[in-house]
Amino acid sequence: MNRRIGLNWLGVVPFLAFALLFLALPTMNIVVGAFRSADGGFTLDNIRGLFSPRIRESFVLSIQISAASAILGCLIGFAIAAAMVLGGLPKWLRGPITTFSGVASNFAGVPLAFAFIATLGRVGLVTMLLKQWFGINIYAMGFNLLSFWGLTLTYLFFQIPLMVLIITPALDGLKKEWREAAEVLGASGWQYWRMVALPVLFPSLLGTFALLFANSFGAIATAYALTGSTLSIVPIMLYAQIRGDVLQDPHLGYAMAFGMIVVTGLANLVYIILRTRAERWMK
């Protein structure tokens, strides 16, 4: 019996080693470096440096973009999932929608940035079609792909599918008996959603929002390939810091990474807590 348990643990060793080498140890090194001075002593100057105008503004901008993409992703993704699970859409559509969501939720980085530039760039396919066929010049109207809303729109490509994948099981967990009981008691469809369905789904919705927020807050490849240094969000500034392009203070770079860990860690903690609470209702 003990030998069998030992063999089971042996199978987990590669995963534990990978997590230790590429997650735990680098995180500990970042945390320690954030509170270390150039001579190796303890200091809070690096943390104070996070409140300098340029770095503070980058955190604010990153939080705004992450919140905007998470809110829109939740709203649109919830509408798609609700139509698929509870609406009148044909059942055969669920498979393709779920499959596409699984692929699109992991499609990011340089390929995604190139796809949006080729589609909605100044000479992109959709941009030129709108201009030639309908006389609509979206850039003359103020749209700019290399802007706050341009990056937010790009993030929605993987935020919406991720919302669909996460919220679909929660919608499946809504019991038909609850709606039938509400209708027997004379409740309208709106009253059922307001008093029964949405309160039950609220922990899942809020938890998914936190996950989508963390998902976009830490994204760098898509933002850097799309906007370069046009938008000074935290991941891009941190990347420049690592390359030694701007601040040239490694310990301040550790502090910026530590700040990102705190923000994403809190968002993921909220997601885990609310997800656990939501699962109690679905049992």
Side-chain angles (χ1 to χ4, degrees):
M1 183 67 180
N2 292 332
R3 183 180 179 181
R4 185 175 180 181
I5 295 175
L7 290 175
N8 290 336
W9 276 102
L10 183 62
V12 187
V13 168
F15 167 75
L16 295 177
F18 184 87
L20 179 65
L21 292 174
F22 295 97
L23 182 62
L25 292 180
T27 302
M28 292 175 58
N29 184 54
I30 288 172
V31 173
V32 172
F35 294 93
R36 181 175 293 174
S37 61
D39 57 4
F42 175 82
T43 181
L44 293 175
D45 291 340
N46 302 319
I47 303 300
R48 296 190 188 98
L50 296 179
F51 297 93
S52 63
R54 186 175 182 183
I55 297 179
R56 184 177 65 248
E57 290 172 1
S58 69
F59 269 93
V60 171
L61 180 60
S62 293
I63 290 173
Q64 290 174 339
I65 293 176
S66 300
S69 67
I71 291 173
L72 293 174
C74 283
L75 292 175
I76 301 173
F78 180 81
I80 295 173
M84 179 177 65
V85 177
L86 305 174
L89 292 180
K91 292 184 178 180
W92 61 267
L93 276 176
R94 178 162 182 165
I97 291 175
T98 304
T99 302
F100 172 79
S101 297
V103 174
S105 62
N106 292 286
F107 185 70
V110 176
L112 179 59
F114 174 77
F116 268 81
I117 291 173
T119 304
L120 290 172
R122 290 190 176 275
V123 292
L125 176 63
V126 173
T127 303
M128 298 307 295
L129 288 178
L130 288 173
K131 187 175 181 180
Q132 294 174 4
W133 290 4
F134 303 100
I136 299 175
N137 188 339
I138 58 176
Y139 280 84
M141 297 170 62
F143 176 79
N144 186 1
L145 188 61
L146 311 182
S147 65
F148 177 95
W149 288 112
L151 183 58
T152 300
L153 178 64
T154 306
Y155 280 174
L156 288 179
F157 187 88
F158 55 79
Q159 295 282 66
I160 294 173
L162 183 59
M163 176 65 179
V164 172
L165 291 176
I166 296 175
I167 205 62
T168 296
L171 290 172
D172 284 330
L174 290 176
K175 299 179 180 179
K176 294 182 179 179
E177 293 84 352
W178 297 346
R179 180 150 201 165
E180 293 173 355
E183 291 176 350
V184 169
L185 293 173
S188 63
W190 164 244
Q191 288 175 324
Y192 163 75
W193 275 100
R194 182 169 60 89
M195 298 180 179
V196 180
L198 286 179
V200 172
L201 292 172
F202 183 73
S204 295
L205 292 172
L206 193 57
T208 307
F209 168 80
L211 182 64
L212 264 61
F213 177 91
N215 188 44
S216 60
F217 187 82
I220 177 175
T222 302
Y224 188 80
L226 183 68
T227 67
S229 58
T230 304
L231 289 178
S232 296
I233 59 176
V234 179
I236 290 179
M237 287 196 65
L238 179 58
Y239 176 69
Q241 170 66 13
I242 294 174
R243 294 177 55 189
D245 292 348
V246 285
L247 303 175
Q248 299 182 358
D249 183 351
H251 293 285
L252 184 56
Y254 284 133
M256 293 173 63
F258 175 71
M260 291 187 64
I261 291 173
V262 170
V263 174
T264 55
L266 289 175
N268 282 292
L269 179 62
V270 170
Y271 168 73
I272 293 172
I273 294 174
L274 293 175
R275 188 68 178 178
T276 303
R277 182 179 178 183
E279 288 174 353
R280 297 175 185 173
W281 282 93
M282 300 304 172
K283 291 181 180 179

